[in-house]
Amino acid sequence: MSNNSGTGTRIRQWLMTGVSYMIPFVAAGGILIALSFMIGGYDIVYQDQAEFLAKGFNPLAAHDWAYVMFAVGAATFGFLVPVLSGFIAYAIADRPGLAPGFVGGAIAGTVGAGFLGGLITGFLGGFVALWLSRIKLPNWLRPLMPVVVIPLVATFITAGLMLVILGGPLKALMTALNDWLTGLSGGSLIGLGIILGLMMAFDMGGPVNKVAYTFAAAGLTEAGASADANDPRFVIMAIVMAAGMTPPLGLALATVLRKNKFSNAERQNGKAAWLLGASFITEGAIPFAAADPLRVIPSIMIGSGVSGALVAAFGCTLRAPHGGLWVFGLVGNWPMYLIAVAIGTVVTALLVIVAKNIKPGVSDEALEEAVA
């Protein structure tokens, strides 16, 4: 990373590093847990591990397969906060930041500080390690710094502060946030659905999109496997996935409905966008937005906001943090969920087509100059 980058840019890049390394754990753990519920029912969470190990695994029993999926998924979820924290610290201080980041994140999870605690220990561990690495020392001591001294001191400081000072207040804050999310219903949940929908479409996989996604994934983790099936945090996860699917699907539909409004390259991108959108890969909309941001970005934001609001209004839920169309069998009230995604897709397509017809005398070059 360039030292000439602005402070805001550097913080965003550090945060995105942690989130990008965390997402595979979110996807793997969340989908495994969701599949275990689909195969073995929600009661699988109450299966006693000691009893299961004593009985032995029966490859012909669906319940046993379900429990293995649940146990592996739950173990994978246990890495989320340490991975987030560890790689934020790594982005700041390189390898010396890994130990304080990972251990600080693990302590944050232990004391109940959750994802907020992981964010704080990531930045704290990274900056402590970076500060220690810049201390001028005798030549004979320098080789020991990155492998012994910095990890030892930075880990003790970071994890110690989380355990003794920061953990209690952060746990109280996380509890208040969870209580607020659990109490959401009706208009407040619909309003949140609109906001999250707008965020998911705004930069199509960028920092704002990832903030919304991480907020939903964190709620999914905090809700826990034993939470009520209608917990609002599962609705929030459903909102975010629907809103993330809508932009590429809507743009793909627009290329079919009005081919003459799109270049040959965009029409080819539209074919790929069907699969990308169906798989919850919002980045499929980026080529269209890059070519015509003034028309495309507002259109996809409105379409995603509509999808998010409808999912909230219909009370659809989702326990899997990723997968798109391929995990629709795990969606609560999935027929209405399909309708919400379909309506958002159509709204997006129509708005893009209408926008393409606005001020036809303005050239694409002029639009690009206006954006620049």
mmCIF file of all heavy atoms in Angstrom, residues 13-41:
data_model
loop_
_atom_site.group_PDB
_atom_site.id
_atom_site.type_symbol
_atom_site.label_atom_id
_atom_site.label_comp_id
_atom_site.label_asym_id
_atom_site.label_seq_id
_atom_site.Cartn_x
_atom_site.Cartn_y
_atom_site.Cartn_z
ATOM 1 N N GLN A 13 -8.791 0.138 3.217
ATOM 2 C CA GLN A 13 -8.045 -0.995 2.680
ATOM 3 C C GLN A 13 -7.697 -1.993 3.770
ATOM 4 O O GLN A 13 -7.755 -3.209 3.545
ATOM 5 C CB GLN A 13 -6.778 -0.485 1.983
ATOM 6 C CG GLN A 13 -7.069 0.262 0.685
ATOM 7 C CD GLN A 13 -5.830 0.912 0.095
ATOM 8 O OE1 GLN A 13 -4.904 1.294 0.817
ATOM 9 N NE2 GLN A 13 -5.808 1.061 -1.220
ATOM 10 N N TRP A 14 -7.333 -1.519 4.945
ATOM 11 C CA TRP A 14 -7.057 -2.436 6.053
ATOM 12 C C TRP A 14 -8.313 -3.233 6.416
ATOM 13 O O TRP A 14 -8.246 -4.447 6.615
ATOM 14 C CB TRP A 14 -6.572 -1.651 7.274
ATOM 15 C CG TRP A 14 -5.250 -0.967 7.098
ATOM 16 C CD1 TRP A 14 -4.200 -1.377 6.303
ATOM 17 C CD2 TRP A 14 -4.815 0.248 7.708
ATOM 18 N NE1 TRP A 14 -3.158 -0.497 6.390
ATOM 19 C CE2 TRP A 14 -3.496 0.520 7.250
ATOM 20 C CE3 TRP A 14 -5.399 1.149 8.609
ATOM 21 C CZ2 TRP A 14 -2.773 1.635 7.664
ATOM 22 C CZ3 TRP A 14 -4.674 2.269 9.013
ATOM 23 C CH2 TRP A 14 -3.370 2.498 8.547
ATOM 24 N N LEU A 15 -9.429 -2.525 6.511
ATOM 25 C CA LEU A 15 -10.684 -3.181 6.852
ATOM 26 C C LEU A 15 -11.079 -4.197 5.786
ATOM 27 O O LEU A 15 -11.489 -5.324 6.099
ATOM 28 C CB LEU A 15 -11.784 -2.133 7.019
ATOM 29 C CG LEU A 15 -13.194 -2.658 7.322
ATOM 30 C CD1 LEU A 15 -13.204 -3.429 8.632
ATOM 31 C CD2 LEU A 15 -14.186 -1.500 7.378
ATOM 32 N N MET A 16 -10.942 -3.819 4.515
ATOM 33 C CA MET A 16 -11.317 -4.717 3.427
ATOM 34 C C MET A 16 -10.435 -5.959 3.388
ATOM 35 O O MET A 16 -10.881 -7.044 3.004
ATOM 36 C CB MET A 16 -11.244 -3.978 2.096
ATOM 37 C CG MET A 16 -12.365 -2.970 1.893
ATOM 38 S SD MET A 16 -13.983 -3.749 1.827
ATOM 39 C CE MET A 16 -13.846 -4.667 0.305
ATOM 40 N N THR A 17 -9.183 -5.829 3.794
ATOM 41 C CA THR A 17 -8.311 -7.005 3.857
ATOM 42 C C THR A 17 -8.862 -8.013 4.857
ATOM 43 O O THR A 17 -8.967 -9.211 4.563
ATOM 44 C CB THR A 17 -6.883 -6.594 4.260
ATOM 45 O OG1 THR A 17 -6.349 -5.717 3.270
ATOM 46 C CG2 THR A 17 -5.983 -7.813 4.386
ATOM 47 N N GLY A 18 -9.221 -7.540 6.038
ATOM 48 C CA GLY A 18 -9.788 -8.438 7.046
ATOM 49 C C GLY A 18 -11.086 -9.071 6.589
ATOM 50 O O GLY A 18 -11.302 -10.284 6.744
ATOM 51 N N VAL A 19 -11.957 -8.276 5.991
ATOM 52 C CA VAL A 19 -13.257 -8.784 5.545
ATOM 53 C C VAL A 19 -13.087 -9.800 4.423
ATOM 54 O O VAL A 19 -13.753 -10.841 4.401
ATOM 55 C CB VAL A 19 -14.164 -7.620 5.093
ATOM 56 C CG1 VAL A 19 -15.424 -8.151 4.410
ATOM 57 C CG2 VAL A 19 -14.537 -6.749 6.288
ATOM 58 N N SER A 20 -12.183 -9.515 3.477
ATOM 59 C CA SER A 20 -12.012 -10.425 2.343
ATOM 60 C C SER A 20 -11.504 -11.791 2.783
ATOM 61 O O SER A 20 -11.901 -12.814 2.214
ATOM 62 C CB SER A 20 -11.060 -9.810 1.316
ATOM 63 O OG SER A 20 -9.754 -9.671 1.856
ATOM 64 N N TYR A 21 -10.640 -11.837 3.790
ATOM 65 C CA TYR A 21 -10.165 -13.124 4.303
ATOM 66 C C TYR A 21 -11.225 -13.819 5.161
ATOM 67 O O TYR A 21 -11.215 -15.047 5.293
ATOM 68 C CB TYR A 21 -8.883 -12.936 5.122
ATOM 69 C CG TYR A 21 -7.635 -12.831 4.285
ATOM 70 C CD1 TYR A 21 -7.058 -11.595 4.010
ATOM 71 C CD2 TYR A 21 -7.031 -13.959 3.750
ATOM 72 C CE1 TYR A 21 -5.910 -11.489 3.235
ATOM 73 C CE2 TYR A 21 -5.880 -13.869 2.971
ATOM 74 C CZ TYR A 21 -5.329 -12.627 2.721
ATOM 75 O OH TYR A 21 -4.194 -12.527 1.946
ATOM 76 N N MET A 22 -12.122 -13.051 5.737
ATOM 77 C CA MET A 22 -13.165 -13.628 6.589
ATOM 78 C C MET A 22 -14.293 -14.264 5.788
ATOM 79 O O MET A 22 -14.878 -15.277 6.199
ATOM 80 C CB MET A 22 -13.727 -12.536 7.502
ATOM 81 C CG MET A 22 -14.830 -13.011 8.439
ATOM 82 S SD MET A 22 -15.699 -11.631 9.234
ATOM 83 C CE MET A 22 -16.646 -10.981 7.860
ATOM 84 N N ILE A 23 -14.612 -13.702 4.622
ATOM 85 C CA ILE A 23 -15.796 -14.127 3.876
ATOM 86 C C ILE A 23 -15.799 -15.614 3.531
ATOM 87 O O ILE A 23 -16.846 -16.273 3.633
ATOM 88 C CB ILE A 23 -15.971 -13.244 2.622
ATOM 89 C CG1 ILE A 23 -16.518 -11.872 3.047
ATOM 90 C CG2 ILE A 23 -16.921 -13.881 1.603
ATOM 91 C CD1 ILE A 23 -16.677 -10.879 1.920
ATOM 92 N N PRO A 24 -14.665 -16.240 3.117
ATOM 93 C CA PRO A 24 -14.725 -17.684 2.862
ATOM 94 C C PRO A 24 -15.152 -18.499 4.083
ATOM 95 O O PRO A 24 -15.847 -19.515 3.944
ATOM 96 C CB PRO A 24 -13.281 -18.023 2.451
ATOM 97 C CG PRO A 24 -12.732 -16.747 1.912
ATOM 98 C CD PRO A 24 -13.357 -15.667 2.740
ATOM 99 N N PHE A 25 -14.755 -18.065 5.279
ATOM 100 C CA PHE A 25 -15.174 -18.754 6.491
ATOM 101 C C PHE A 25 -16.664 -18.559 6.731
ATOM 102 O O PHE A 25 -17.367 -19.478 7.156
ATOM 103 C CB PHE A 25 -14.374 -18.234 7.699
ATOM 104 C CG PHE A 25 -12.929 -18.615 7.686
ATOM 105 C CD1 PHE A 25 -11.998 -17.874 6.970
ATOM 106 C CD2 PHE A 25 -12.485 -19.713 8.397
ATOM 107 C CE1 PHE A 25 -10.663 -18.222 6.945
ATOM 108 C CE2 PHE A 25 -11.133 -20.079 8.396
ATOM 109 C CZ PHE A 25 -10.222 -19.327 7.660
ATOM 110 N N VAL A 26 -17.150 -17.340 6.460
ATOM 111 C CA VAL A 26 -18.579 -17.060 6.606
ATOM 112 C C VAL A 26 -19.390 -17.948 5.668
ATOM 113 O O VAL A 26 -20.372 -18.582 6.067
ATOM 114 C CB VAL A 26 -18.877 -15.578 6.298
ATOM 115 C CG1 VAL A 26 -20.380 -15.316 6.305
ATOM 116 C CG2 VAL A 26 -18.194 -14.670 7.314
ATOM 117 N N ALA A 27 -18.959 -18.012 4.410
ATOM 118 C CA ALA A 27 -19.702 -18.787 3.417
ATOM 119 C C ALA A 27 -19.675 -20.275 3.739
ATOM 120 O O ALA A 27 -20.719 -20.946 3.752
ATOM 121 C CB ALA A 27 -19.129 -18.528 2.029
ATOM 122 N N ALA A 28 -18.482 -20.808 4.023
ATOM 123 C CA ALA A 28 -18.365 -22.240 4.298
ATOM 124 C C ALA A 28 -19.132 -22.626 5.558
ATOM 125 O O ALA A 28 -19.935 -23.568 5.548
ATOM 126 C CB ALA A 28 -16.889 -22.621 4.438
ATOM 127 N N GLY A 29 -18.902 -21.894 6.646
ATOM 128 C CA GLY A 29 -19.570 -22.233 7.899
ATOM 129 C C GLY A 29 -21.063 -22.040 7.841
ATOM 130 O O GLY A 29 -21.841 -22.895 8.289
ATOM 131 N N GLY A 30 -21.497 -20.925 7.273
ATOM 132 C CA GLY A 30 -22.924 -20.628 7.230
ATOM 133 C C GLY A 30 -23.704 -21.591 6.374
ATOM 134 O O GLY A 30 -24.793 -22.056 6.750
ATOM 135 N N ILE A 31 -23.167 -21.934 5.210
ATOM 136 C CA ILE A 31 -23.882 -22.855 4.326
ATOM 137 C C ILE A 31 -23.911 -24.255 4.911
ATOM 138 O O ILE A 31 -24.922 -24.965 4.806
ATOM 139 C CB ILE A 31 -23.264 -22.836 2.918
ATOM 140 C CG1 ILE A 31 -23.506 -21.473 2.262
ATOM 141 C CG2 ILE A 31 -23.835 -23.941 2.047
ATOM 142 C CD1 ILE A 31 -22.825 -21.291 0.925
ATOM 143 N N LEU A 32 -22.823 -24.689 5.548
ATOM 144 C CA LEU A 32 -22.830 -26.009 6.188
ATOM 145 C C LEU A 32 -23.881 -26.082 7.299
ATOM 146 O O LEU A 32 -24.607 -27.076 7.408
ATOM 147 C CB LEU A 32 -21.444 -26.315 6.764
ATOM 148 C CG LEU A 32 -20.389 -26.790 5.760
ATOM 149 C CD1 LEU A 32 -19.012 -26.844 6.418
ATOM 150 C CD2 LEU A 32 -20.764 -28.171 5.215
ATOM 151 N N ILE A 33 -23.979 -25.037 8.110
ATOM 152 C CA ILE A 33 -24.985 -25.025 9.175
ATOM 153 C C ILE A 33 -26.386 -25.032 8.581
ATOM 154 O O ILE A 33 -27.279 -25.769 9.036
ATOM 155 C CB ILE A 33 -24.782 -23.808 10.098
ATOM 156 C CG1 ILE A 33 -23.502 -23.980 10.923
ATOM 157 C CG2 ILE A 33 -25.983 -23.620 11.030
ATOM 158 C CD1 ILE A 33 -23.143 -22.779 11.761
ATOM 159 N N ALA A 34 -26.597 -24.232 7.544
ATOM 160 C CA ALA A 34 -27.916 -24.178 6.911
ATOM 161 C C ALA A 34 -28.296 -25.530 6.305
ATOM 162 O O ALA A 34 -29.442 -25.990 6.430
ATOM 163 C CB ALA A 34 -27.933 -23.094 5.845
ATOM 164 N N LEU A 35 -27.335 -26.191 5.652
ATOM 165 C CA LEU A 35 -27.611 -27.512 5.088
ATOM 166 C C LEU A 35 -27.910 -28.537 6.176
ATOM 167 O O LEU A 35 -28.762 -29.414 5.999
ATOM 168 C CB LEU A 35 -26.409 -27.974 4.246
ATOM 169 C CG LEU A 35 -26.202 -27.260 2.912
ATOM 170 C CD1 LEU A 35 -24.879 -27.684 2.288
ATOM 171 C CD2 LEU A 35 -27.358 -27.559 1.965
ATOM 172 N N SER A 36 -27.215 -28.411 7.310
ATOM 173 C CA SER A 36 -27.481 -29.344 8.407
ATOM 174 C C SER A 36 -28.903 -29.190 8.925
ATOM 175 O O SER A 36 -29.561 -30.181 9.274
ATOM 176 C CB SER A 36 -26.474 -29.122 9.546
ATOM 177 O OG SER A 36 -26.755 -27.938 10.284
ATOM 178 N N PHE A 37 -29.401 -27.949 8.962
ATOM 179 C CA PHE A 37 -30.782 -27.721 9.386
ATOM 180 C C PHE A 37 -31.766 -28.303 8.368
ATOM 181 O O PHE A 37 -32.806 -28.846 8.732
ATOM 182 C CB PHE A 37 -31.050 -26.228 9.564
ATOM 183 C CG PHE A 37 -30.343 -25.620 10.743
ATOM 184 C CD1 PHE A 37 -30.040 -24.269 10.772
ATOM 185 C CD2 PHE A 37 -29.984 -26.386 11.832
ATOM 186 C CE1 PHE A 37 -29.402 -23.696 11.857
ATOM 187 C CE2 PHE A 37 -29.334 -25.830 12.923
ATOM 188 C CZ PHE A 37 -29.044 -24.482 12.939
ATOM 189 N N MET A 38 -31.429 -28.158 7.087
ATOM 190 C CA MET A 38 -32.326 -28.653 6.049
ATOM 191 C C MET A 38 -32.423 -30.181 6.095
ATOM 192 O O MET A 38 -33.491 -30.756 5.879
ATOM 193 C CB MET A 38 -31.834 -28.198 4.675
ATOM 194 C CG MET A 38 -32.768 -28.550 3.535
ATOM 195 S SD MET A 38 -32.304 -27.778 1.971
ATOM 196 C CE MET A 38 -30.773 -28.656 1.613
ATOM 197 N N ILE A 39 -31.304 -30.850 6.409
ATOM 198 C CA ILE A 39 -31.288 -32.312 6.421
ATOM 199 C C ILE A 39 -31.768 -32.877 7.758
ATOM 200 O O ILE A 39 -32.555 -33.830 7.799
ATOM 201 C CB ILE A 39 -29.867 -32.828 6.125
ATOM 202 C CG1 ILE A 39 -29.449 -32.418 4.715
ATOM 203 C CG2 ILE A 39 -29.787 -34.342 6.276
ATOM 204 C CD1 ILE A 39 -27.994 -32.685 4.393
ATOM 205 N N GLY A 40 -31.282 -32.278 8.853
ATOM 206 C CA GLY A 40 -31.567 -32.856 10.167
ATOM 207 C C GLY A 40 -32.535 -32.070 11.022
ATOM 208 O O GLY A 40 -32.866 -32.508 12.134
ATOM 209 N N GLY A 41 -33.015 -30.919 10.548
ATOM 210 C CA GLY A 41 -33.932 -30.111 11.342
ATOM 211 C C GLY A 41 -33.189 -29.214 12.313
ATOM 212 O O GLY A 41 -32.002 -29.426 12.610
#
